[in-house]
Amino acid sequence: MSDSASGSADKSVQVKLVLLGEAAVGKSSVVLRFVSNEFQANKEPTIGAAFLTQKCRLEDRILRYEIWDTAGQERFHSLAPMYYRNAQAAVVVYDVTKASSLEKAKSWVKELQRQANPNIVIALAGNKIDLVQPSASSSSSTSSPESEDEADDATATPDEAPPTGTEPESLRQVPREEAQAYATEAGLLFFETSAKTGEGVVEIFTEIAKKIPIEHILAATRGNGARSASGNPRAEGSQQSNVNLNEDPNKSKDACNC
Amino acid sequence: MEESQFDVVVIGTGLLESITASALSKAGYKVAHIDQNSYYGAEEATLSLDELAQWIDKQQSSDTQNSRFKHAKRSDTVPKQSRQYAVCLQPSIIPSIGPMISSLVASGVAKYSGFRLLDCLTIYNKTGSIANVPSSKEDIFKSKEISLLDKRRLMRFLTFASGEFEGKQELEGKEDLPFPEFLSTGFSLNENICSVISYALAFCLSPDDATLPALKRLRHYLRSSGRYGPSPFLIGHYGGTGDIAQGFCRASAVSGGVYILGRDITGIAPISSDPNGFNYAITLSDFPDTISTRLVITSPSNSPLPVGVTPRQLSRTSAQVSNIHCMARGILILDRPLASPPQEPLSDFAETAGDVDENQTSPPLAIDTGILVFPPGSVQGGSSKHPVTVLVTGEGSLSTPKGKWIVYIGCPLSEDLEDSTTAEDVLKPYVDAILSLSTNPSSGPIDPLFSVSYLEYSPQELTNTTNESTYIIVPPPAIASLADICDELTVDAEATFKAAIQVLRQLSPRENDDDEYPPFWPPLPVEEEDNEW
């Protein structure tokens, strides 16, 4: 907790990661699994967290993910440009039991390609695979599949609980091959995940970490955006002028000072 | 409550409304925040160049007698990389101490945005050159150019201005005196120094600005310096004001606020004696549900008033100058930088000629992010009554691509203009002066890549109002200096928040309501801190 927030004090590199995807696909649950290794069935719609952070070790480097949730602002297409800005990574989540959620994911990928940093690393995650696996493989779970009904978002779309007792694979509406083919074509990392069992979740973040151009980010952190490595004699001074309001010693009780 | 039922509907995503929405969401009220525009920030929005061009075109097509924005003009061709620019309709700098900074930190919104210190604060003089404005007593002390006598007078004044001057003998009976007059008669300061203090340190908008409020502003700025660095002022990355508004909207959403942008309001109908206590039914275009709410809070620009509604009009908590009702604004995009002055502060204001400046041989540095003040009468053909304040933001404030600069020009006006006079006419002498301040004067004046200009009028308060209404109109935005605007909007947002809480408590009392108002910003919840490690 004593690290400087700037991320330059040690070898840790700060990476902004944004979450996107249709309501109730389990965006927050995937993050909660990654960050706290927890799963909450019937989770409330996303309220309360501005962003979560988690370190990820990669060889000699430590990535510090700053994970932004949509806070529901995607619901009426009202995500602020601030959300995409400077994101070095994005996880676009869909629900393997809901074909329309992949279509929505594709439109988010387009939006990212339009709005976000051109070097952004995008991962596509087909969540809720525990629902389409034979129950033996999700042995850690004690609850019936109804508990998978993660009310992850306030969106109106009613998310019917999958019927119990049916053959799990029959719930699958998005074949793995189809999503994989799309991801390959669009240049995305691809995973199938279960926030409930944890399957595939950590892998998303480690694979993203491997693909992030760390040297580029380090240079950017040092020079206030690699783009300011200019002949401008003031460039050096310019980036020293950046301030972190939360690092004000007089205000330490309000500050995050993480 | 049902999904389409709310305690409060806030209309408009300007900074004031966004701060208010955020505070109400954090206080536990169910808030829907609506804007007919598809972008955040309303009249304080931060826009790309394409969006700015569209905004100008929209103002042109709706320019009528009572428009808030008149005579909008722009260059025909929008430069490339439009999306890499963040141009703000309400440029601002933020004092390091004050309501805006406190709210940014206490609400957690500071974490969403970036900030930097202003590089330089400069002033233009009649000879066509610019000089740094000393921002501290140390600067003045070090200056070789100010005479010893003037230094002593200036120090005496600054000691007075940074202290508890209320009730001091120097001020007695002079609170309403025009500030420059107070400076020259009370402290025997010379005309140039009076001008620097009035317009570049206290950011007066006219020589008629009253002494007491000017002194309070100046004290505020003097105390702000040193908190984050030598400059008292911060500037928000990515276009400042509009970006900060977005941040408050996100904070509101994180606390459960619902955001609906890009939909026209097709109707606001008062509901009488609804069993559930809802007072308005709001319909939006392209939106299936009718939204019910107990309380409406709206920006003044959302008109007309719904039939059968007598609103409550909130007044500004403070207004810098009352006789200024219009601002001529210009925005230039440059691909060559403006030169910053040599390091010696105030050198051009010296009464005695100084030594040869050793900096003269090295090429002038470029201003990345800075302020240039034109005092009244400093430019031929310009205003003899009002100062013009110029803000330059470049790559360092992350608002432009590399090698490009945004120049904001604001000229307050108190005289009525001829109908045919445009902002472009008013600003022309200043634009010419600015464009000649290149780092490489031998290649001639800078040719802007893009320019826009418009007149911004301050909307009037409504008069037919009642304090008992559940339809609240926020205070109309004042014409304020760019150092003051964010703090003013924050103070007015807090007043709006309190007014809303008062009404909401009457409409739907909650168990935990007590006599106290809830704090504007409750302590940040633990989960907003860094989570696991």
Side-chain angles (χ1 to χ4, degrees):
Chain A
M1 290 291 274
S2 59
D3 289 15
S4 128
S6 72
S8 54
D10 57 12
K11 282 180 183 168
S12 103
V13 180
Q14 184 154 318
V15 172
K16 176 174 169 181
L17 183 148
V18 296
L19 284 173
L20 288 164
E22 195 178 64
V25 295
K27 294 186 289 294
S28 304
S29 297
V30 167
V31 171
L32 197 63
R33 170 61 71 187
F34 174 58
V35 170
S36 347
N37 202 21
E38 280 175 9
F39 178 75
Q40 293 172 13
N42 302 315
K43 191 184 159 298
E44 285 292 302
T46 306
I47 285 182
F51 40 71
L52 298 168
T53 60
Q54 174 67 305
K55 277 184 179 176
C56 183
R57 232 166 255 282
L58 182 75
E59 291 161 13
D60 62 331
R61 291 249 189 261
I62 300 166
L63 264 75
R64 185 168 169 275
Y65 280 117
E66 182 182 283
I67 303 168
W68 288 47
D69 206 322
T70 57
Q73 281 181 308
E74 85 285 18
R75 198 173 146 202
F76 301 114
H77 301 275
S78 304
L79 267 182
M82 159 182 277
Y83 188 69
Y84 303 99
R85 187 171 64 211
N86 280 353
Q88 285 113 359
V91 177
V92 182
V93 186
Y94 70 94
D95 174 350
V96 293
T97 68
K98 199 173 171 200
S100 63
S101 70
L102 179 64
E103 293 314 304
K104 190 69 204 174
K106 289 179 183 175
S107 71
W108 281 120
V109 170
K110 274 200 199 115
E111 186 71 4
L112 281 167
Q113 286 163 343
R114 196 176 72 88
Q115 293 246 28
N117 169 358
N119 300 318
I120 189 167
V121 177
I122 305 175
L124 179 69
N127 193 31
K128 304 196 189 178
I129 48 162
D130 52 287
L131 288 183
V132 301
Q133 287 165 336
S135 53
S137 75
S138 53
S139 54
S140 64
S141 128
T142 52
S143 50
S144 66
E146 277 104 326
S147 65
E148 278 308 300
D149 178 16
E150 301 158 39
D152 187 60
D153 207 297
T155 317
T157 34
D159 188 33
E160 309 91 33
T164 50
T166 47
E167 192 56 36
E169 190 59 29
S170 69
L171 287 172
R172 185 188 272 275
Q173 288 189 5
V174 181
R176 185 186 170 95
E177 300 69 33
E178 181 195 331
Q180 173 76 66
Y182 160 69
T184 309
E185 185 196 321
L188 319 176
L189 296 168
F190 174 67
F191 305 89
E192 286 197 333
T193 59
S194 166
K196 185 173 176 183
T197 67
E199 184 177 344
V201 172
V202 173
E203 287 81 351
I204 306 176
F205 294 89
T206 46
E207 290 305 310
I208 289 175
K210 288 181 194 163
K211 220 181 155 188
I212 294 270
I214 289 178
E215 296 307 326
H216 188 81
I217 296 170
L218 274 179
T221 324
R222 270 200 276 343
N224 185 24
R227 54 189 192 143
S228 86
S230 62
N232 180 352
R234 193 153 254 178
E236 190 81 352
S238 297
Q239 66 97 2
Q240 283 167 6
S241 310
N242 290 333
V243 291
N244 181 348
L245 303 192
N246 293 309
E247 278 181 352
D248 175 18
N250 305 325
K251 272 278 190 175
S252 54
K253 76 174 166 54
D254 288 329
C256 127
N257 280 340
C258 30
Chain B
M1 256 195 278
E2 299 280 323
E3 206 169 88
S4 59
Q5 295 176 334
F6 294 91
D7 293 309
V8 191
V9 167
V10 180
I11 302 171
T13 55
L15 183 59
L16 192 167
E17 296 84 30
S18 301
I19 296 173
T20 307
S22 179
L24 287 168
S25 292
K26 281 175 178 261
Y29 291 97
K30 202 176 163 199
V31 175
H33 200 170
I34 299 172
D35 198 314
Q36 63 169 357
N37 301 304
S38 54
Y39 52 82
Y40 283 89
E43 286 161 0
E44 287 107 36
T46 292
L47 304 172
S48 69
L49 287 186
D50 281 328
E51 290 171 328
L52 176 66
Q54 286 164 19
W55 186 86
I56 291 285
D57 296 348
K58 189 178 162 196
Q59 305 314 317
Q60 268 172 354
S61 64
S62 60
D63 193 339
T64 60
Q65 189 68 34
N66 296 316
S67 298
R68 178 148 185 235
F69 302 99
K70 294 177 78 65
H71 289 305
K73 277 191 176 182
R74 68 169 173 100
S75 320
D76 292 334
T77 314
V78 178
K80 287 180 200 160
Q81 297 177 294
S82 150
R83 301 184 57 84
Q84 289 192 38
Y85 293 85
V87 186
C88 189
L89 298 176
Q90 187 64 258
S92 64
I93 54 175
I94 306 169
S96 298
I97 294 172
M100 178 84 267
I101 288 291
S102 301
S103 284
L104 281 166
V105 173
S107 65
V109 170
K111 291 185 203 168
Y112 303 144
S113 298
F115 298 86
R116 61 166 292 152
L117 287 164
L118 207 59
D119 280 342
C120 62
L121 175 56
T122 62
I123 191 158
Y124 190 88
N125 66 29
K126 286 173 184 149
T127 62
S129 61
I130 61 174
N132 282 308
V133 172
S135 63
S136 65
K137 289 181 186 176
E138 290 72 26
D139 283 351
I140 296 163
F141 194 69
K142 281 188 288 186
S143 169
K144 297 176 210 153
E145 308 284 332
I146 309 172
S147 77
L148 207 56
L149 182 61
D150 281 338
K151 264 189 199 176
R152 210 173 292 142
R153 288 169 175 164
L154 191 50
M155 288 295 205
R156 186 176 147 245
F157 170 70
L158 290 178
T159 305
F160 167 80
S162 55
E164 302 300 320
F165 46 68
E166 286 90 345
K168 287 264 177 73
Q169 190 197 342
E170 289 94 328
L171 186 60
E172 208 182 319
K174 297 174 182 167
E175 291 87 349
D176 297 325
L177 209 64
F179 190 48
E181 193 183 322
F182 171 80
L183 293 173
S184 61
T185 58
F187 288 85
S188 313
L189 294 165
N190 74 43
E191 197 189 332
N192 283 328
I193 291 176
C194 287
S195 175
V196 171
I197 293 171
S198 301
Y199 305 110
L201 290 180
F203 287 97
C204 290
L205 294 181
S206 106
D208 306 329
D209 271 24
T211 292
L212 183 60
L215 275 175
K216 285 184 175 170
R217 282 199 307 275
L218 179 57
R219 179 169 63 192
H220 179 185
Y221 305 148
L222 290 171
R223 290 181 176 180
S224 289
S225 84
R227 183 176 183 189
Y228 294 112
S231 172
F233 298 109
L234 298 175
I235 182 152
H237 285 161
Y238 303 105
T241 327
D243 198 64
I244 294 168
Q246 273 182 37
F248 279 101
C249 290
R250 177 167 161 82
S252 169
V254 163
S255 298
V258 172
Y259 278 76
I260 309 170
L261 268 69
R263 266 81 160 187
D264 283 329
I265 296 170
T266 48
I268 302 180
I271 311 174
S272 50
S273 53
D274 177 81
N276 297 315
F278 294 104
N279 293 312
Y280 302 93
I282 301 178
T283 48
L284 306 175
S285 62
D286 193 23
F287 198 78
D289 298 331
T290 296
I291 293 168
S292 326
T293 183
R294 303 182 200 284
L295 178 65
V296 171
I297 298 175
T298 174
S299 75
S301 60
N302 175 57
S303 52
L305 214 53
V307 179
V309 169
T310 308
R312 174 173 179 192
Q313 167 76 69
L314 301 180
S315 292
R316 287 172 205 151
T317 310
S318 67
Q320 187 173 348
V321 188
S322 56
N323 67 342
I324 290 172
H325 58 274
C326 179
M327 180 87 98
R329 290 193 185 274
I331 302 170
L332 310 172
I333 305 293
L334 307 183
D335 60 359
R336 286 167 56 198
L338 303 181
S340 66
Q343 288 311 297
E344 178 62 45
L346 272 181
S347 57
D348 294 300
F349 292 88
E351 286 179 351
T352 55
D355 300 331
V356 175
D357 194 332
E358 38 201 355
N359 286 330
Q360 267 175 5
T361 49
S362 58
L365 296 180
I367 298 178
D368 183 275
T369 302
I371 295 271
L372 166 60
V373 176
F374 289 90
S378 57
V379 172
Q380 189 129 37
S383 174
S384 57
K385 189 149 198 281
H386 298 292
V388 164
T389 313
V390 176
L391 172 66
V392 181
T393 70
E395 201 193 350
S397 62
L398 306 185
S399 59
T400 62
K402 182 172 189 286
K404 305 285 190 293
W405 290 265
I406 305 171
V407 177
Y408 299 95
I409 312 166
C411 177
L413 298 166
S414 53
E415 315 84 20
D416 283 326
L417 293 173
E418 304 262 330
D419 274 350
S420 59
T421 308
T422 66
E424 196 178 27
D425 301 333
V426 174
L427 298 176
K428 176 135 196 340
Y430 299 98
V431 171
D432 291 344
I434 291 164
L435 294 177
S436 65
L437 295 169
S438 145
T439 45
N440 185 4
S442 60
S443 49
I446 304 168
D447 189 16
L449 291 181
F450 187 70
S451 61
V452 309
S453 61
Y454 53 94
L455 295 171
E456 174 183 328
Y457 286 87
S458 180
Q460 297 300 305
E461 290 186 8
L462 289 179
T463 46
N464 181 23
T465 68
T466 165
N467 281 346
E468 299 304 311
S469 181
T470 52
Y471 192 98
I472 295 178
I473 301 178
V474 308
I479 301 280
S481 86
L482 78 185
D484 221 28
I485 187 77
C486 282
D487 281 339
E488 276 201 13
L489 290 169
T490 309
V491 168
D492 285 344
E494 184 164 3
T496 306
F497 168 75
K498 286 190 171 156
I501 293 288
Q502 199 181 20
V503 181
L504 286 166
R505 287 186 165 186
Q506 286 166 10
L507 294 175
S508 80
R510 301 190 299 188
E511 276 177 17
N512 56 351
D513 287 353
D514 50 30
D515 296 339
E516 298 274 305
Y517 278 111
F520 193 26
W521 303 114
L524 289 172
V526 180
E527 54 272 23
E528 285 200 24
E529 302 288 319
D530 269 357
N531 203 276
E532 295 280 304
W533 285 88

